[in-house]
Each structure stands twice: as C-alpha cells, then as structure tokens.
Amino acid sequence: MVDPPRSAAVPATAQPADSARVRDGRDGRDGRDARWERHREERRTELVDATIRAIRRHGPGVGMDDIAGEAGTSKTVVYRHFDDRAGLYRAVVARIESRVVGSVAGALSAEPAPGGPDLRRLIGSTVDAYLALVESDPDLYRFVVARPLVDRPLPDDPVGGTVSHVTAMLAVVLETALPAPDHARVVATALVGSVQAVADDWLASPDRVPRETLVETLTALAWDGLAPLVG
C-alpha cells in the first residue's frame, strides 16, 4: 500500500476513534484474530465433548483412535488443538473439575441452620455431592484417575489441583464452624482425601453398597473424629 502524502495524513483528532476501533475488534486484522480465537475455543470444546462421549462409549481405557473417530476427525487435528495427549487429558480434567467444584460448592453454600451451620449435615451433603458425581459417570471418573492418555508424570497434576480446590473450599467453611480455626485445613484435607480413597475402592468393588449407606458411614466417621474439636 502506498503511504498517503503528508498533507493527507489522518488528523490527530481522529486517532481516538481509530484506537477505539482497534480495541473493540472493528479493525480487520484484530477482528480476524478474535474470530479465529473464538473458533479455536469452540473447536476445543467440541473435541473435549467428543472425548467424553468416547470414554462413555469405549470405557476408561479409551485410545486416541477412538476419540478421533468419535470427533469425526483425525488424531493430527486433535493434537493441533491440544499439542499432545497430555494436553487433551488436562482439558478433560478441567471440565470434570468444573462439575465437581460446582457440585461441592452448592452443597457447602446450602442455607445454614439457625444458630450457625449444621456441621454434620454439611459434611454429609458434601460427601454425597462428590459420590453422586462418581456414581453418575463412573467411566469418566476412572479415566481421570487411570490417565490412559498420559505416559509420563505431569508436573502440573490436574487431579491434584481439583483436590486442592475442593479442600480449600471446605477449609473456608470449617474455619467458621470450628472453635479452633487452625484445625480447618487439616480436617478438610483428611476428609477430602478419605472420600477420594473410598470412592476409588467403591467403584472397584463388584458388590458396591448403596451410595446412601456409604455417605452415612463416611459422615459418621468424620463427625466422630470432629467431635473433640467441635466441643
């Protein structure tokens, strides 16, 4: 493009409008970039959706060929959006984390009883929220735990991040419910860790007890352990 002569330069008074046009995406190049980024995010969402469908169809040991087939594309295209199998695994875990965190947050934010939170009920509803998700989508849970797509240790363990997030939410609630707030983090870590371990064993059992029975057992165990701290 030929530069305009100096006499035809854009007046200084027009520059703010030009800047605004770039900021709000009306500039052609920036608009194309924004549309491409939206397309990439939409495509990543579609591929995660396809991966979850493939897990439910083929089980937790699903392979990349199964995932690509479910998505109606090639493995090369999948890798283009996630770099590698670990990237796709992280994206699936992030989707599951949003469900787990949302469900647990709903249980923790339930209307408190008069005079303060009913800690036993709160523990029971939190345990039930987690186990209900596990029971409703067992193959997806097994996929997250077994990591069939990942063949190396991940320094940024996404499952550990989910556990830490849930633990932190529970600790905040316990800080207001326990007479000694400094115990909150320890109690939250112990509760979340025990529920996670029991959930793994529960899914592996061919004769699983009803979820309601398991929730009551874990709640009683946690409550008995908390009794000395609650006073």
Side-chain angles (χ1 to χ4, degrees):
M1 180 182 294
V2 179
D3 292 335
R6 293 183 183 275
S7 59
V10 179
T13 55
Q15 290 177 0
D18 290 345
S19 298
R21 186 164 59 249
V22 171
R23 284 195 305 271
D24 69 14
R26 282 179 285 161
D27 173 79
R29 184 188 60 195
D30 286 8
R32 285 193 297 271
D33 290 345
R35 287 193 297 273
W36 174 242
E37 187 58 34
R38 285 196 300 271
H39 169 74
R40 282 181 57 84
E41 287 303 315
E42 290 169 358
R43 188 60 176 137
R44 282 171 61 90
T45 298
E46 291 169 356
L47 291 171
V48 171
D49 290 342
T51 301
I52 292 174
R53 291 196 305 271
I55 293 167
R56 290 168 176 162
R57 183 188 300 273
H58 300 284
V62 66
M64 289 301 299
D65 288 327
D66 299 321
I67 292 169
E70 185 67 39
T73 188
S74 66
K75 290 187 291 186
T76 301
V77 171
V78 178
Y79 291 139
R80 184 184 305 156
H81 287 276
F82 295 98
D83 295 332
D84 56 15
R85 292 183 298 177
L88 178 58
Y89 171 76
R90 289 188 185 94
V92 172
V93 174
R95 175 74 65 82
I96 305 311
E97 177 180 17
S98 67
R99 289 177 54 188
V100 171
V101 170
S103 182
V104 171
L108 292 175
S109 62
E111 190 68 26
D118 181 341
L119 193 53
R120 195 184 196 286
R121 183 193 59 77
L122 183 147
I123 291 171
S125 60
T126 303
V127 170
D128 188 54
Y130 184 86
L131 292 179
L133 285 177
V134 171
E135 185 178 43
S136 67
D137 224 334
D139 281 342
L140 193 56
Y141 181 83
R142 291 188 182 101
F143 170 87
V144 168
V145 173
R147 308 181 182 193
L149 298 184
V150 182
D151 55 5
R152 66 182 188 278
L154 296 178
D156 54 335
D157 178 15
V159 175
T162 302
V163 172
S164 295
H165 197 162
V166 172
T167 299
M169 288 194 304
L170 181 57
V172 168
V173 175
L174 290 175
E175 284 175 358
T176 64
L178 295 177
D182 54 318
H183 293 311
R185 181 75 189 185
V186 173
V187 172
T189 301
L191 180 59
V192 172
S194 65
V195 172
Q196 184 183 25
V198 169
D200 292 348
D201 182 72
W202 183 54
L203 277 187
S205 174
D207 300 313
R208 295 201 298 264
V209 301
R211 188 182 86 241
E212 295 77 10
T213 302
L214 190 60
V215 169
E216 182 55 36
T217 300
L218 285 170
T219 302
L221 181 63
W223 183 245
D224 289 344
L226 279 174
L229 300 177
V230 175

